[in-house]
Amino acid sequence: MDAIRRQGRERPASGSEPEGETAEFDALFDRRGHWEDAPDAWEQPEGALGQKQFLAALEACLRALPERTAQAFMMREHLGFDTGEICKELGITPTHLWVMLYRARMALRQCLEMNWFGK
């Protein structure tokens, strides 16, 4: 039941993004919502320096996001807030939250691939 709920809430809202942007992101996933080409496995950073450099790259990518999008992402992924808490705090609907989280994840993935993983 949880898997069905998760699939329902993680789908992007139709018509909420420009057509080209939607098609570009949708091409990354199969019809079930799984990655077509899974992201490369993260290797364990070598020592504290590598970890600090990764965190610096992640922070830079987070700063590049729109402020409310970054705030929603951090509330969800870092602070562990649930949907209701985030929606109440930001004054948004659950659908809008899921669109924001989807965009944040895609932007962070792209940014980290360019700035950290060196693709």
Side-chain angles (χ1 to χ4, degrees):
M1 191 55 127
D2 289 339
I4 293 170
R5 286 185 188 128
R6 186 178 318 114
Q7 285 177 347
R9 68 176 183 241
E10 289 184 353
R11 290 185 188 147
S14 61
S16 63
E17 294 179 287
E19 186 59 33
E21 187 177 58
T22 302
E24 181 180 324
F25 284 128
D26 287 345
L28 298 172
F29 304 95
D30 64 18
R31 62 184 177 86
R32 296 179 322 187
H34 297 264
W35 291 107
E36 284 289 342
D37 298 317
D40 295 333
W42 291 13
E43 298 200 18
Q44 196 68 314
E46 294 180 14
L49 179 60
Q51 188 175 14
K52 286 181 183 178
Q53 290 172 338
F54 172 76
L55 291 175
L58 177 62
E59 287 177 15
C61 290
L62 282 168
R63 281 192 302 274
L65 292 175
E67 184 178 340
R68 287 175 49 90
T69 302
Q71 184 180 14
F73 179 81
M74 291 301 290
M75 290 172 77
R76 179 64 172 205
E77 302 301 334
H78 183 67
L79 300 175
F81 287 13
D82 67 19
T83 301
E85 293 172 314
I86 298 170
C87 290
K88 183 178 178 182
E89 182 71 27
L90 298 179
I92 58 175
T93 65
T95 303
H96 187 196
L97 173 63
W98 289 109
V99 170
M100 290 172 73
L101 292 174
Y102 172 80
R103 289 178 179 172
R105 290 177 182 128
M106 292 299 102
L108 289 172
R109 177 179 185 248
Q110 184 177 24
C111 180
L112 287 171
E113 282 181 347
M114 289 177 11
N115 297 312
W116 178 255
F117 298 110
K119 282 195 168 186

